[in-house]
Structure formats: C-alpha cells, structure tokens
Amino acid sequence: MQRTGDLKLIQELNRSIILKTIRHYGPISRSEIAKRNKISPTTVTAAVRKLLQQGLVCEDGVGASSGGRKPILIRFSPDSRFLIGVSISNSAIKIAEMNLVADVCREKVFPVRALTGQSIIAYVLKSIGQFLSEYSSLTKCIGISIISPGIVDAVQGVIRYNSKLRLKDIPLKEIVERRFKLNTWLENDTNAILLAEKKFGAYAKYENLAYITIADGVGAGIVINGSIFRGYRGGAGELGHTSINKDGIHCDCGNIGCLENYVSWPAIYSKVLSFIAKGKHTVMLELAEGDVTRISPYIFRCALDKGDQVAKDIMEDIATYLATGIVNLVNLFNPEIVILGGEIVYDNHFLLSRVKKLVSQRALNVLTDGLEICPTSLGEDFEVIGSAAVILQDIFNFSLST
C-alpha cells in the first residue's frame, strides 16, 4: 500500500517536472505536456490545476486542433512571485526585486564606504531590512539570494574567506534567514554571474567556459563539461590572487604580486591619481568637475571613449596584466570562451580588443584556435541577475548543460 507521504512526494515531483516543461516550452497544451513527460493526462490536469491556483501559470489562448476541440494553452507567469537579489562588493551593496525570469523591477545601491568584518555584515542586514521595509507583505517573495566575492561554501551558506572585506567563516545564510524569516541562498559572485550567462545570457551553447570579473577585485567562475568547478573547499577561481610578479605589490591576502593589485578598479584609480599628481592632463578631471573623488569606472570609460591619453596609457597597462592572467587560465583549463565582466569591462572595446590580441599571441596556439573572448551579455544589472540565477536554478532545478 502506498503511503500518503510517498504520494505527496510523487505529486510534488510531477508538479515540478510539469512547471519546468511549461517554463521551457510554453504556451503548451496539457496533452503536449503529458506526451513530452510520459505522464498520464489525469496527472497533468491535476498538477496544472494546482499551479493555476498558485498563480505560477495561466491559461493563454487556444492551440491548433488535431481533430477535436481546440486545446487551451498554458504558459508560465513570471510575475506571480518575486525574489530579492543581493550583490555584495567592496564598494557597494546592490539589492533588487526581480521576477521569476530575473527581470529587475526595483533596485537600490547602498555604498559600503570602507566597512569590513562584522561592520559590513551589520550593514548588509541593515540594507536588506531597509529594502524590505517598503513591502506591506512578503508572502509572494520566494526568498533572498546573496552573492559575494571571496571563497564561498554555497552548500553550507558560509563566506569562508574574503581578504579585502576581512571576512572569515561567516554563516551569512543562517544569519539572514534568522533575521528576516525568508529562505536564503549564498553563492560566490563570479559563479553566480557565470550561471546567469548560461541561463539568461548569450552563451548557453558552451560547455567549457570561464567568466572573469574585474571590479574592486578580480575573480573567475569556471564551467567544465557543463558543471561549475568549485575546487576542494569552494575556492576555485581566485584568479585575482594568482601571482604575476614575485617582486610586486603586497596583497591583503598576504601574498606578493597578486593579479588584482594590477587590474582592479582600486589599482586603476591609484594610477589615475598618480598621473594627475604628476600634472598630466586628463579629461577625467573635467568629467568629475574637478573632484578626484568623483572619478568612477564610468568616468574612466567615458575618458577612454574620448581618446584621453592618460586613460589609454593606463588601459594598455591593465590589458597587458589581465592578458597574462587569462593566458594562464586558458593554458590550465582550455575553455571555449572567456567572458569578461565588471564595471571596467562594460562597453570597453579598447580593453577587449587589446586582451584578445595579447592572449592570441601568448597562449598555446592549439588552445587559442577557436577560443572566443567576449564581454558579458547581461548588461549593467549583471550582478543582481547573477544572484537571481542562483535561487531560480535551485527552485526550478534547471541544468547548466544545454
């Protein structure tokens, strides 16, 4: 005799399979759902009825008849629920409300202003609380998804290590769930954005790819044969902490000559200030209205577009260092494509073309044959879209493989 618990589990599994089918193939008829999944029409009808009651799907017109009555089509309703995506970086916390296909409905940015350790955790909680305070009800919120740079144990929901934010063994998932009583997910930022590129971006067809983000730091997400490569303790992809100069700059991690100290935004900003201190003319000062503290990645890119010599000299330097890191990554992992993201890379054709040329010259020829180096396809909201991808992958159980 089948137990009630077993029956309920089977019903939930069937409903999950059917919802996944509707998301992928909808608008679709009930009979087509049954045929695709080899499930009885009665089971499909019951599951669809439940999904309609929950608002996750809706009826959407009629399909072509094969002789009898025209079938009613069912489609996914992405606006029936929402999620909260949170992106933590060294300079800002971005929080967004998104629907179930990662469309951004509302977004706020909370500047970090050099907070570290427990202070940054407290600020994350305060920022989330402020964002959530604008809702009269959270009954339609499926949860909070947080992405963070550094070594992250996604299974346990723990930030294992972040040198710049001075975080070690922080059980952030548990802390957030306890505070806000909402299911919470935690993932490394580059892994999350790479997942989003596979599911919401232009790079779904690739099975071996790397995503490199250049922002306050430098990190990499790596997919091998369709699966995220996490390493032994979740630390794979710390490209920013690979050594490129044994006599170089001391890094917060304790090492010397780490890549991110040469190509991240703080490194670029430092070079800009150095040029200005030497009396070099740059349009960046004009764009920042004479206030060096207002020079941002956006202003730097604008200066580059205007042909500013200081910006071009710095970018040439950055491209050389970045290409060195990418050559090492290509020679180690042999990806089909390397995706570049981050505020520095966004709409930066100068950097992209220079890096492509240098990698082609320096990496093993057999590994660069057919290799593509492309910018992120997710637009300016790439970080929060990455956070959405984490929660949606878990809830809708989609695979990285095409």
Side-chain angles (χ1 to χ4, degrees), residues 90 148-153 159-164 187-191 211-213 217-222 229-231 233-244 251 253 255 257-261 325 328-329 332-333:
N90 302 342
S148 169
I151 298 174
V152 174
D153 184 333
I159 298 176
R160 289 296 181 200
Y161 182 66
N162 182 301
S163 59
K164 283 188 165 52
E187 177 62 278
N188 167 266
D189 55 354
T190 49
N191 284 345
Y211 174 89
I212 299 172
T213 182
V218 176
I222 302 163
F229 179 66
R230 297 183 182 277
R233 302 194 68 184
E238 285 297 309
L239 183 67
H241 293 292
T242 56
S243 299
I244 60 167
C251 182
C253 74
N255 194 12
C258 289
L259 176 65
E260 73 174 36
N261 292 302
N328 291 335
L329 187 146
L332 278 170
F333 295 104

mmCIF file of all heavy atoms in Angstrom, residues 90 148-153 159-164 187-191 211-213 217-222 229-231 233-244 251 253 255 257-261 325 328-329 332-333:
data_model
loop_
_atom_site.group_PDB
_atom_site.id
_atom_site.type_symbol
_atom_site.label_atom_id
_atom_site.label_comp_id
_atom_site.label_asym_id
_atom_site.label_seq_id
_atom_site.Cartn_x
_atom_site.Cartn_y
_atom_site.Cartn_z
ATOM 1 N N ASN A 90 33.181 45.212 -2.465
ATOM 2 C CA ASN A 90 33.970 46.016 -1.525
ATOM 3 C C ASN A 90 33.478 47.456 -1.455
ATOM 4 O O ASN A 90 33.754 48.155 -0.481
ATOM 5 C CB ASN A 90 35.444 46.021 -1.954
ATOM 6 C CG ASN A 90 36.019 44.617 -2.032
ATOM 7 O OD1 ASN A 90 35.456 43.682 -1.470
ATOM 8 N ND2 ASN A 90 37.117 44.465 -2.737
ATOM 9 N N SER A 148 28.565 37.020 -3.164
ATOM 10 C CA SER A 148 29.674 37.728 -2.523
ATOM 11 C C SER A 148 30.990 37.311 -3.160
ATOM 12 O O SER A 148 31.153 36.150 -3.550
ATOM 13 C CB SER A 148 29.700 37.387 -1.027
ATOM 14 O OG SER A 148 30.904 37.836 -0.414
ATOM 15 N N PRO A 149 31.953 38.233 -3.254
ATOM 16 C CA PRO A 149 33.291 37.832 -3.698
ATOM 17 C C PRO A 149 33.975 37.014 -2.602
ATOM 18 O O PRO A 149 33.537 37.022 -1.446
ATOM 19 C CB PRO A 149 34.004 39.170 -3.921
ATOM 20 C CG PRO A 149 33.309 40.134 -3.012
ATOM 21 C CD PRO A 149 31.877 39.687 -2.967
ATOM 22 N N GLY A 150 35.023 36.325 -2.980
ATOM 23 C CA GLY A 150 35.771 35.543 -1.998
ATOM 24 C C GLY A 150 35.453 34.063 -2.089
ATOM 25 O O GLY A 150 34.755 33.601 -2.991
ATOM 26 N N ILE A 151 35.953 33.307 -1.133
ATOM 27 C CA ILE A 151 35.729 31.862 -1.091
ATOM 28 C C ILE A 151 34.423 31.605 -0.342
ATOM 29 O O ILE A 151 34.295 31.941 0.839
ATOM 30 C CB ILE A 151 36.906 31.142 -0.411
ATOM 31 C CG1 ILE A 151 38.186 31.375 -1.231
ATOM 32 C CG2 ILE A 151 36.631 29.647 -0.274
ATOM 33 C CD1 ILE A 151 39.448 30.847 -0.589
ATOM 34 N N VAL A 152 33.461 31.028 -1.051
ATOM 35 C CA VAL A 152 32.122 30.831 -0.506
ATOM 36 C C VAL A 152 31.768 29.350 -0.537
ATOM 37 O O VAL A 152 31.906 28.695 -1.566
ATOM 38 C CB VAL A 152 31.079 31.633 -1.310
ATOM 39 C CG1 VAL A 152 29.662 31.311 -0.836
ATOM 40 C CG2 VAL A 152 31.347 33.133 -1.190
ATOM 41 N N ASP A 153 31.311 28.835 0.596
ATOM 42 C CA ASP A 153 30.763 27.478 0.669
ATOM 43 C C ASP A 153 29.268 27.604 0.411
ATOM 44 O O ASP A 153 28.499 27.940 1.314
ATOM 45 C CB ASP A 153 31.035 26.872 2.042
ATOM 46 C CG ASP A 153 30.568 25.419 2.151
ATOM 47 O OD1 ASP A 153 29.628 25.037 1.424
ATOM 48 O OD2 ASP A 153 31.121 24.675 2.981
ATOM 49 N N ILE A 159 30.508 32.343 4.054
ATOM 50 C CA ILE A 159 31.633 33.027 3.424
ATOM 51 C C ILE A 159 32.889 32.545 4.159
ATOM 52 O O ILE A 159 33.124 32.900 5.311
ATOM 53 C CB ILE A 159 31.514 34.557 3.521
ATOM 54 C CG1 ILE A 159 30.270 35.051 2.779
ATOM 55 C CG2 ILE A 159 32.768 35.232 2.939
ATOM 56 C CD1 ILE A 159 30.033 36.547 2.900
ATOM 57 N N ARG A 160 33.671 31.714 3.485
ATOM 58 C CA ARG A 160 34.852 31.128 4.135
ATOM 59 C C ARG A 160 35.967 32.154 4.287
ATOM 60 O O ARG A 160 36.633 32.209 5.327
ATOM 61 C CB ARG A 160 35.364 29.940 3.318
ATOM 62 C CG ARG A 160 34.465 28.723 3.367
ATOM 63 C CD ARG A 160 34.382 28.157 4.770
ATOM 64 N NE ARG A 160 33.536 26.964 4.831
ATOM 65 C CZ ARG A 160 33.006 26.506 5.940
ATOM 66 N NH1 ARG A 160 33.199 27.157 7.078
ATOM 67 N NH2 ARG A 160 32.257 25.434 5.926
ATOM 68 N N TYR A 161 36.170 32.982 3.238
ATOM 69 C CA TYR A 161 37.287 33.928 3.330
ATOM 70 C C TYR A 161 37.148 35.024 2.296
ATOM 71 O O TYR A 161 36.867 34.778 1.128
ATOM 72 C CB TYR A 161 38.613 33.197 3.113
ATOM 73 C CG TYR A 161 39.847 34.084 3.232
ATOM 74 C CD1 TYR A 161 40.192 34.667 4.448
ATOM 75 C CD2 TYR A 161 40.648 34.339 2.120
ATOM 76 C CE1 TYR A 161 41.312 35.485 4.560
ATOM 77 C CE2 TYR A 161 41.769 35.146 2.225
ATOM 78 C CZ TYR A 161 42.097 35.715 3.446
ATOM 79 O OH TYR A 161 43.201 36.526 3.553
ATOM 80 N N ASN A 162 37.318 36.259 2.738
ATOM 81 C CA ASN A 162 37.420 37.414 1.843
ATOM 82 C C ASN A 162 38.437 38.360 2.459
ATOM 83 O O ASN A 162 38.201 38.931 3.527
ATOM 84 C CB ASN A 162 36.065 38.112 1.677
ATOM 85 C CG ASN A 162 36.137 39.282 0.704
ATOM 86 O OD1 ASN A 162 36.897 40.218 0.899
ATOM 87 N ND2 ASN A 162 35.331 39.227 -0.337
ATOM 88 N N SER A 163 39.592 38.501 1.792
ATOM 89 C CA SER A 163 40.695 39.259 2.390
ATOM 90 C C SER A 163 40.394 40.752 2.491
ATOM 91 O O SER A 163 40.698 41.384 3.512
ATOM 92 C CB SER A 163 41.986 39.035 1.583
ATOM 93 O OG SER A 163 41.813 39.452 0.237
ATOM 94 N N LYS A 164 39.777 41.326 1.463
ATOM 95 C CA LYS A 164 39.546 42.769 1.465
ATOM 96 C C LYS A 164 38.440 43.180 2.442
ATOM 97 O O LYS A 164 38.526 44.211 3.102
ATOM 98 C CB LYS A 164 39.220 43.256 0.051
ATOM 99 C CG LYS A 164 40.459 43.369 -0.831
ATOM 100 C CD LYS A 164 40.153 44.029 -2.149
ATOM 101 C CE LYS A 164 41.431 44.461 -2.871
ATOM 102 N NZ LYS A 164 42.417 43.403 -3.021
ATOM 103 N N GLU A 187 26.079 32.445 -2.660
ATOM 104 C CA GLU A 187 26.964 31.898 -3.689
ATOM 105 C C GLU A 187 28.091 32.880 -3.969
ATOM 106 O O GLU A 187 27.972 34.086 -3.735
ATOM 107 C CB GLU A 187 26.148 31.626 -4.957
ATOM 108 C CG GLU A 187 26.913 31.115 -6.171
ATOM 109 C CD GLU A 187 27.600 29.776 -5.955
ATOM 110 O OE1 GLU A 187 28.712 29.813 -5.384
ATOM 111 O OE2 GLU A 187 27.067 28.732 -6.371
ATOM 112 N N ASN A 188 29.206 32.365 -4.463
ATOM 113 C CA ASN A 188 30.299 33.218 -4.949
ATOM 114 C C ASN A 188 29.805 34.041 -6.132
ATOM 115 O O ASN A 188 29.067 33.547 -6.986
ATOM 116 C CB ASN A 188 31.479 32.335 -5.359
ATOM 117 C CG ASN A 188 32.527 33.099 -6.149
ATOM 118 O OD1 ASN A 188 32.493 33.098 -7.375
ATOM 119 N ND2 ASN A 188 33.430 33.765 -5.467
ATOM 120 N N ASP A 189 30.197 35.312 -6.200
ATOM 121 C CA ASP A 189 29.647 36.209 -7.218
ATOM 122 C C ASP A 189 29.959 35.770 -8.648
ATOM 123 O O ASP A 189 29.079 35.782 -9.516
ATOM 124 C CB ASP A 189 30.083 37.652 -6.975
ATOM 125 C CG ASP A 189 31.601 37.834 -6.884
ATOM 126 O OD1 ASP A 189 32.344 36.830 -6.900
ATOM 127 O OD2 ASP A 189 32.046 39.001 -6.780
ATOM 128 N N THR A 190 31.190 35.373 -8.921
ATOM 129 C CA THR A 190 31.532 35.015 -10.299
ATOM 130 C C THR A 190 30.855 33.715 -10.737
ATOM 131 O O THR A 190 30.435 33.591 -11.891
ATOM 132 C CB THR A 190 33.065 34.892 -10.489
ATOM 133 O OG1 THR A 190 33.615 34.076 -9.461
ATOM 134 C CG2 THR A 190 33.715 36.258 -10.462
ATOM 135 N N ASN A 191 30.726 32.758 -9.819
ATOM 136 C CA ASN A 191 29.984 31.537 -10.144
ATOM 137 C C ASN A 191 28.538 31.867 -10.489
ATOM 138 O O ASN A 191 27.959 31.314 -11.428
ATOM 139 C CB ASN A 191 30.022 30.554 -8.969
ATOM 140 C CG ASN A 191 31.348 29.843 -8.831
ATOM 141 O OD1 ASN A 191 32.162 29.848 -9.747
ATOM 142 N ND2 ASN A 191 31.581 29.232 -7.686
ATOM 143 N N TYR A 211 34.283 32.844 -16.708
ATOM 144 C CA TYR A 211 33.821 34.218 -16.566
ATOM 145 C C TYR A 211 34.807 34.929 -15.640
ATOM 146 O O TYR A 211 35.123 34.428 -14.549
ATOM 147 C CB TYR A 211 32.419 34.254 -15.963
ATOM 148 C CG TYR A 211 31.941 35.662 -15.655
ATOM 149 C CD1 TYR A 211 31.277 36.408 -16.613
ATOM 150 C CD2 TYR A 211 32.194 36.254 -14.421
ATOM 151 C CE1 TYR A 211 30.858 37.704 -16.356
ATOM 152 C CE2 TYR A 211 31.781 37.548 -14.142
ATOM 153 C CZ TYR A 211 31.113 38.266 -15.117
ATOM 154 O OH TYR A 211 30.717 39.548 -14.848
ATOM 155 N N ILE A 212 35.314 36.075 -16.083
ATOM 156 C CA ILE A 212 36.248 36.857 -15.266
ATOM 157 C C ILE A 212 35.626 38.206 -14.987
ATOM 158 O O ILE A 212 35.182 38.902 -15.901
ATOM 159 C CB ILE A 212 37.603 37.042 -15.982
ATOM 160 C CG1 ILE A 212 38.263 35.688 -16.241
ATOM 161 C CG2 ILE A 212 38.536 37.932 -15.148
ATOM 162 C CD1 ILE A 212 39.514 35.776 -17.103
ATOM 163 N N THR A 213 35.561 38.573 -13.724
ATOM 164 C CA THR A 213 35.029 39.881 -13.365
ATOM 165 C C THR A 213 36.164 40.779 -12.883
ATOM 166 O O THR A 213 37.021 40.349 -12.107
ATOM 167 C CB THR A 213 33.934 39.768 -12.284
ATOM 168 O OG1 THR A 213 33.406 41.066 -12.009
ATOM 169 C CG2 THR A 213 34.468 39.168 -10.999
ATOM 170 N N GLY A 217 37.873 43.836 -7.090
ATOM 171 C CA GLY A 217 38.853 42.763 -7.105
ATOM 172 C C GLY A 217 38.750 42.041 -8.439
ATOM 173 O O GLY A 217 38.103 42.518 -9.366
ATOM 174 N N VAL A 218 39.367 40.873 -8.524
ATOM 175 C CA VAL A 218 39.304 40.066 -9.745
ATOM 176 C C VAL A 218 38.988 38.630 -9.351
ATOM 177 O O VAL A 218 39.633 38.063 -8.473
ATOM 178 C CB VAL A 218 40.645 40.100 -10.514
ATOM 179 C CG1 VAL A 218 40.593 39.181 -11.734
ATOM 180 C CG2 VAL A 218 40.979 41.520 -10.938
ATOM 181 N N GLY A 219 37.971 38.073 -9.978
ATOM 182 C CA GLY A 219 37.612 36.689 -9.696
ATOM 183 C C GLY A 219 37.243 35.977 -10.971
ATOM 184 O O GLY A 219 37.030 36.601 -12.015
ATOM 185 N N ALA A 220 37.145 34.656 -10.906
ATOM 186 C CA ALA A 220 36.775 33.870 -12.084
ATOM 187 C C ALA A 220 35.808 32.762 -11.690
ATOM 188 O O ALA A 220 35.928 32.166 -10.613
ATOM 189 C CB ALA A 220 38.015 33.266 -12.740
ATOM 190 N N GLY A 221 34.849 32.513 -12.557
ATOM 191 C CA GLY A 221 33.983 31.352 -12.447
ATOM 192 C C GLY A 221 34.315 30.435 -13.602
ATOM 193 O O GLY A 221 34.556 30.896 -14.723
ATOM 194 N N ILE A 222 34.339 29.139 -13.355
ATOM 195 C CA ILE A 222 34.776 28.183 -14.380
ATOM 196 C C ILE A 222 33.754 27.065 -14.513
ATOM 197 O O ILE A 222 33.349 26.460 -13.512
ATOM 198 C CB ILE A 222 36.151 27.589 -14.013
ATOM 199 C CG1 ILE A 222 37.196 28.702 -13.863
ATOM 200 C CG2 ILE A 222 36.611 26.572 -15.066
ATOM 201 C CD1 ILE A 222 38.450 28.273 -13.131
ATOM 202 N N PHE A 229 33.064 24.339 -11.688
ATOM 203 C CA PHE A 229 34.221 23.790 -10.983
ATOM 204 C C PHE A 229 34.461 24.626 -9.736
ATOM 205 O O PHE A 229 34.822 25.796 -9.822
ATOM 206 C CB PHE A 229 35.462 23.810 -11.887
ATOM 207 C CG PHE A 229 36.700 23.281 -11.237
ATOM 208 C CD1 PHE A 229 36.791 21.948 -10.878
ATOM 209 C CD2 PHE A 229 37.766 24.124 -10.960
ATOM 210 C CE1 PHE A 229 37.937 21.460 -10.264
ATOM 211 C CE2 PHE A 229 38.908 23.639 -10.345
ATOM 212 C CZ PHE A 229 38.993 22.306 -9.995
ATOM 213 N N ARG A 230 34.237 24.033 -8.560
ATOM 214 C CA ARG A 230 34.317 24.767 -7.295
ATOM 215 C C ARG A 230 35.621 24.532 -6.541
ATOM 216 O O ARG A 230 35.989 25.329 -5.682
ATOM 217 C CB ARG A 230 33.147 24.382 -6.385
ATOM 218 C CG ARG A 230 31.782 24.758 -6.971
ATOM 219 C CD ARG A 230 30.662 24.415 -6.001
ATOM 220 N NE ARG A 230 29.362 24.736 -6.571
ATOM 221 C CZ ARG A 230 28.812 25.932 -6.557
ATOM 222 N NH1 ARG A 230 29.460 26.933 -5.988
ATOM 223 N NH2 ARG A 230 27.629 26.140 -7.101
ATOM 224 N N GLY A 231 36.310 23.419 -6.838
ATOM 225 C CA GLY A 231 37.512 23.109 -6.082
ATOM 226 C C GLY A 231 37.178 22.387 -4.791
ATOM 227 O O GLY A 231 36.014 22.109 -4.484
ATOM 228 N N ARG A 233 37.392 23.245 -1.505
ATOM 229 C CA ARG A 233 36.637 23.942 -0.460
ATOM 230 C C ARG A 233 35.948 25.207 -0.992
ATOM 231 O O ARG A 233 35.781 26.181 -0.285
ATOM 232 C CB ARG A 233 37.551 24.291 0.717
ATOM 233 C CG ARG A 233 38.233 23.087 1.340
ATOM 234 C CD ARG A 233 38.840 23.397 2.684
ATOM 235 N NE ARG A 233 37.832 23.668 3.695
ATOM 236 C CZ ARG A 233 38.119 24.048 4.950
ATOM 237 N NH1 ARG A 233 39.385 24.215 5.297
ATOM 238 N NH2 ARG A 233 37.164 24.275 5.814
ATOM 239 N N GLY A 234 35.579 25.154 -2.266
ATOM 240 C CA GLY A 234 34.851 26.280 -2.849
ATOM 241 C C GLY A 234 35.728 27.426 -3.299
ATOM 242 O O GLY A 234 35.223 28.498 -3.634
ATOM 243 N N GLY A 235 37.054 27.219 -3.324
ATOM 244 C CA GLY A 235 37.965 28.320 -3.608
ATOM 245 C C GLY A 235 38.467 28.400 -5.035
ATOM 246 O O GLY A 235 39.291 29.264 -5.346
ATOM 247 N N ALA A 236 37.972 27.537 -5.927
ATOM 248 C CA ALA A 236 38.418 27.601 -7.322
ATOM 249 C C ALA A 236 38.010 28.941 -7.930
ATOM 250 O O ALA A 236 36.949 29.470 -7.630
ATOM 251 C CB ALA A 236 37.819 26.453 -8.125
ATOM 252 N N GLY A 237 38.874 29.486 -8.782
ATOM 253 C CA GLY A 237 38.537 30.722 -9.470
ATOM 254 C C GLY A 237 39.095 31.982 -8.840
ATOM 255 O O GLY A 237 38.757 33.081 -9.275
ATOM 256 N N GLU A 238 39.962 31.835 -7.839
ATOM 257 C CA GLU A 238 40.557 33.034 -7.226
ATOM 258 C C GLU A 238 41.683 33.560 -8.122
ATOM 259 O O GLU A 238 42.849 33.648 -7.722
ATOM 260 C CB GLU A 238 41.085 32.704 -5.828
ATOM 261 C CG GLU A 238 39.995 32.561 -4.777
ATOM 262 C CD GLU A 238 39.215 33.851 -4.563
ATOM 263 O OE1 GLU A 238 39.848 34.909 -4.348
ATOM 264 O OE2 GLU A 238 37.979 33.823 -4.632
ATOM 265 N N LEU A 239 41.296 33.912 -9.344
ATOM 266 C CA LEU A 239 42.268 34.377 -10.333
ATOM 267 C C LEU A 239 42.991 35.635 -9.876
ATOM 268 O O LEU A 239 44.181 35.823 -10.158
ATOM 269 C CB LEU A 239 41.548 34.655 -11.669
ATOM 270 C CG LEU A 239 42.422 35.086 -12.839
ATOM 271 C CD1 LEU A 239 43.333 33.945 -13.277
ATOM 272 C CD2 LEU A 239 41.560 35.557 -14.008
ATOM 273 N N GLY A 240 42.291 36.494 -9.153
ATOM 274 C CA GLY A 240 42.895 37.729 -8.668
ATOM 275 C C GLY A 240 44.045 37.506 -7.717
ATOM 276 O O GLY A 240 44.881 38.398 -7.510
ATOM 277 N N HIS A 241 44.107 36.318 -7.112
ATOM 278 C CA HIS A 241 45.178 36.018 -6.169
ATOM 279 C C HIS A 241 46.191 35.034 -6.747
ATOM 280 O O HIS A 241 46.875 34.331 -5.997
ATOM 281 C CB HIS A 241 44.594 35.518 -4.843
ATOM 282 C CG HIS A 241 43.831 36.580 -4.115
ATOM 283 N ND1 HIS A 241 44.452 37.679 -3.571
ATOM 284 C CD2 HIS A 241 42.509 36.735 -3.884
ATOM 285 C CE1 HIS A 241 43.541 38.463 -3.017
ATOM 286 N NE2 HIS A 241 42.348 37.916 -3.198
ATOM 287 N N THR A 242 46.268 34.995 -8.069
ATOM 288 C CA THR A 242 47.380 34.289 -8.708
ATOM 289 C C THR A 242 48.531 35.282 -8.866
ATOM 290 O O THR A 242 48.314 36.458 -9.146
ATOM 291 C CB THR A 242 46.978 33.725 -10.082
ATOM 292 O OG1 THR A 242 46.478 34.781 -10.909
ATOM 293 C CG2 THR A 242 45.906 32.655 -9.938
ATOM 294 N N SER A 243 49.753 34.809 -8.674
ATOM 295 C CA SER A 243 50.920 35.699 -8.672
ATOM 296 C C SER A 243 51.418 35.961 -10.084
ATOM 297 O O SER A 243 51.599 35.029 -10.870
ATOM 298 C CB SER A 243 52.055 35.081 -7.856
ATOM 299 O OG SER A 243 51.657 34.900 -6.513
ATOM 300 N N ILE A 244 51.631 37.241 -10.405
ATOM 301 C CA ILE A 244 52.188 37.582 -11.713
ATOM 302 C C ILE A 244 53.501 38.367 -11.585
ATOM 303 O O ILE A 244 54.135 38.674 -12.571
ATOM 304 C CB ILE A 244 51.184 38.395 -12.555
ATOM 305 C CG1 ILE A 244 50.820 39.709 -11.849
ATOM 306 C CG2 ILE A 244 49.939 37.578 -12.866
ATOM 307 C CD1 ILE A 244 50.104 40.685 -12.753
ATOM 308 N N CYS A 251 49.785 42.115 -1.177
ATOM 309 C CA CYS A 251 48.330 41.981 -1.271
ATOM 310 C C CYS A 251 47.717 41.778 0.115
ATOM 311 O O CYS A 251 48.387 41.286 1.042
ATOM 312 C CB CYS A 251 47.988 40.792 -2.180
ATOM 313 S SG CYS A 251 46.222 40.548 -2.444
ATOM 314 N N CYS A 253 45.817 39.549 0.942
ATOM 315 C CA CYS A 253 45.747 38.117 1.256
ATOM 316 C C CYS A 253 47.040 37.610 1.894
ATOM 317 O O CYS A 253 47.099 36.476 2.369
ATOM 318 C CB CYS A 253 45.436 37.313 -0.011
ATOM 319 S SG CYS A 253 46.821 37.153 -1.158
ATOM 320 N N ASN A 255 49.986 37.540 0.150
ATOM 321 C CA ASN A 255 50.895 37.185 -0.933
ATOM 322 C C ASN A 255 51.511 38.460 -1.544
ATOM 323 O O ASN A 255 51.182 39.580 -1.163
ATOM 324 C CB ASN A 255 50.130 36.391 -2.001
ATOM 325 C CG ASN A 255 51.051 35.685 -2.981
ATOM 326 O OD1 ASN A 255 52.253 35.597 -2.765
ATOM 327 N ND2 ASN A 255 50.478 35.187 -4.060
ATOM 328 N N GLY A 257 52.439 40.369 -5.352
ATOM 329 C CA GLY A 257 52.282 40.374 -6.800
ATOM 330 C C GLY A 257 51.012 39.738 -7.324
ATOM 331 O O GLY A 257 50.982 39.226 -8.441
ATOM 332 N N CYS A 258 49.917 39.788 -6.542
ATOM 333 C CA CYS A 258 48.641 39.218 -6.998
ATOM 334 C C CYS A 258 48.049 40.041 -8.138
ATOM 335 O O CYS A 258 48.113 41.279 -8.132
ATOM 336 C CB CYS A 258 47.641 39.163 -5.849
ATOM 337 S SG CYS A 258 48.030 37.922 -4.593
ATOM 338 N N LEU A 259 47.451 39.354 -9.100
ATOM 339 C CA LEU A 259 46.918 39.978 -10.304
ATOM 340 C C LEU A 259 45.971 41.133 -10.003
ATOM 341 O O LEU A 259 46.029 42.182 -10.662
ATOM 342 C CB LEU A 259 46.191 38.923 -11.149
ATOM 343 C CG LEU A 259 45.492 39.422 -12.421
ATOM 344 C CD1 LEU A 259 46.507 39.965 -13.420
ATOM 345 C CD2 LEU A 259 44.660 38.300 -13.052
ATOM 346 N N GLU A 260 45.090 40.986 -9.006
ATOM 347 C CA GLU A 260 44.072 42.019 -8.786
ATOM 348 C C GLU A 260 44.657 43.349 -8.330
ATOM 349 O O GLU A 260 44.020 44.383 -8.472
ATOM 350 C CB GLU A 260 42.987 41.539 -7.828
ATOM 351 C CG GLU A 260 43.348 41.434 -6.384
ATOM 352 C CD GLU A 260 42.109 41.097 -5.550
ATOM 353 O OE1 GLU A 260 41.240 40.334 -5.995
ATOM 354 O OE2 GLU A 260 42.034 41.613 -4.435
ATOM 355 N N ASN A 261 45.883 43.336 -7.827
ATOM 356 C CA ASN A 261 46.517 44.592 -7.429
ATOM 357 C C ASN A 261 47.040 45.386 -8.625
ATOM 358 O O ASN A 261 47.544 46.498 -8.464
ATOM 359 C CB ASN A 261 47.667 44.309 -6.459
ATOM 360 C CG ASN A 261 47.157 43.789 -5.126
ATOM 361 O OD1 ASN A 261 46.366 44.444 -4.457
ATOM 362 N ND2 ASN A 261 47.570 42.594 -4.765
ATOM 363 N N GLY A 325 47.064 36.952 -16.925
ATOM 364 C CA GLY A 325 46.206 36.081 -16.115
ATOM 365 C C GLY A 325 45.348 35.176 -16.974
ATOM 366 O O GLY A 325 45.169 33.984 -16.665
ATOM 367 N N ASN A 328 47.285 32.216 -18.486
ATOM 368 C CA ASN A 328 47.437 31.134 -17.501
ATOM 369 C C ASN A 328 46.157 30.316 -17.393
ATOM 370 O O ASN A 328 46.175 29.083 -17.323
ATOM 371 C CB ASN A 328 47.795 31.719 -16.133
ATOM 372 C CG ASN A 328 49.194 32.304 -16.103
ATOM 373 O OD1 ASN A 328 50.061 31.906 -16.875
ATOM 374 N ND2 ASN A 328 49.420 33.265 -15.220
ATOM 375 N N LEU A 329 45.012 31.007 -17.351
ATOM 376 C CA LEU A 329 43.729 30.317 -17.225
ATOM 377 C C LEU A 329 43.436 29.461 -18.461
ATOM 378 O O LEU A 329 42.994 28.316 -18.347
ATOM 379 C CB LEU A 329 42.622 31.354 -17.005
ATOM 380 C CG LEU A 329 41.218 30.838 -16.695
ATOM 381 C CD1 LEU A 329 40.517 31.791 -15.734
ATOM 382 C CD2 LEU A 329 40.398 30.689 -17.965
ATOM 383 N N LEU A 332 45.573 26.383 -18.524
ATOM 384 C CA LEU A 332 45.198 25.422 -17.483
ATOM 385 C C LEU A 332 43.891 24.708 -17.787
ATOM 386 O O LEU A 332 43.779 23.490 -17.605
ATOM 387 C CB LEU A 332 45.073 26.132 -16.127
ATOM 388 C CG LEU A 332 46.359 26.380 -15.345
ATOM 389 C CD1 LEU A 332 46.077 27.300 -14.165
ATOM 390 C CD2 LEU A 332 46.936 25.053 -14.846
ATOM 391 N N PHE A 333 42.865 25.456 -18.257
ATOM 392 C CA PHE A 333 41.518 24.896 -18.342
ATOM 393 C C PHE A 333 40.976 24.744 -19.759
ATOM 394 O O PHE A 333 39.931 24.124 -19.944
ATOM 395 C CB PHE A 333 40.545 25.752 -17.519
ATOM 396 C CG PHE A 333 40.848 25.727 -16.050
ATOM 397 C CD1 PHE A 333 41.465 26.808 -15.426
ATOM 398 C CD2 PHE A 333 40.536 24.617 -15.280
ATOM 399 C CE1 PHE A 333 41.755 26.786 -14.074
ATOM 400 C CE2 PHE A 333 40.811 24.577 -13.926
ATOM 401 C CZ PHE A 333 41.429 25.666 -13.318
#
